[in-house]
Amino acid sequence: MNNKNKPFIIGVSLIVLVIALFVIIMFVVGKSKESVSKFKTSDDLKNMINTIYNELGDTLPALDFQNIDSSTESFKYYTGLSDSTNVEFFVVSEPLMNAQAYSLVVLKVKDTSKIETMKQEMYNNINMAKWLCVSAEKLYITNSDDIIFMVMASDNWATPVYNGFKKYVNNNIGKELTKTEGGNLDFSPVAD
């Protein structure tokens, strides 16, 4: 090898090395930005919810999971959404006794580019007074990656559950939507 070509070969080798490092770094950064949901089934969502509930102990009413068909009117009743085409699956958790204002809905969405629109539709359309004689005082809606989390109840139930979700996802959440209503409805007789 002649000494005249040595700097040229070293220069080309350095350029190739820099390009290779750049490609590797872009690949690694790109992979880390991709959202790989840890929620593959509705059972995964139920496990997350149970983890949140277990950490709160006996502060919540007796709760159960509801099996709701997303193609029925019940879907809109529980979620406030008029269309379920972007919902892969969802879970509803409500009290065993329906006279308690508490509802937790967790949805896995198919297309995350529509998630903010879906959250806003839920916020605008959910009925916080859907129970007989009681209504939710507090509504929280947020998302973490492809999961929308909505809880509505009295402040002393909704806030700890919402904070439990944020802790579960390491505060990796999107825009938060909150609403405060008057709480329980008053059906006492009006004095003349």
Side-chain angles (χ1 to χ4, degrees), residues 126-184:
I126 199 68
N127 181 2
M128 292 178 66
K130 68 180 188 173
W131 302 274
L132 185 60
C133 300
V134 293
S135 64
E137 176 185 3
K138 197 75 171 180
L139 169 69
Y140 292 102
I141 302 173
T142 194
N143 71 288
S144 181
D145 297 323
D146 57 356
I147 300 298
I148 297 177
F149 185 91
M150 180 193 81
V151 62
M152 63 178 171
S154 65
D155 188 36
N156 61 334
W157 288 343
T159 301
V161 170
Y162 183 66
N163 289 336
F165 171 72
K166 292 193 309 185
K167 179 182 174 188
Y168 188 88
V169 297
N170 297 316
N171 282 321
N172 176 26
I173 60 170
K175 180 180 174 184
E176 297 178 280
L177 304 174
T178 62
K179 188 186 295 185
T180 302
E181 296 280 321
N184 292 342

Side-chain angles (χ1 to χ4, degrees), residues 85-88 108-118 145-146 148:
T85 56
N86 194 37
V87 176
E88 192 170 331
K108 180 172 180 179
V109 300
K110 296 175 185 174
D111 179 2
T112 57
S113 71
K114 299 176 183 176
I115 210 160
E116 291 302 324
T117 303
M118 293 174 70
D145 297 323
D146 57 356
I148 297 177

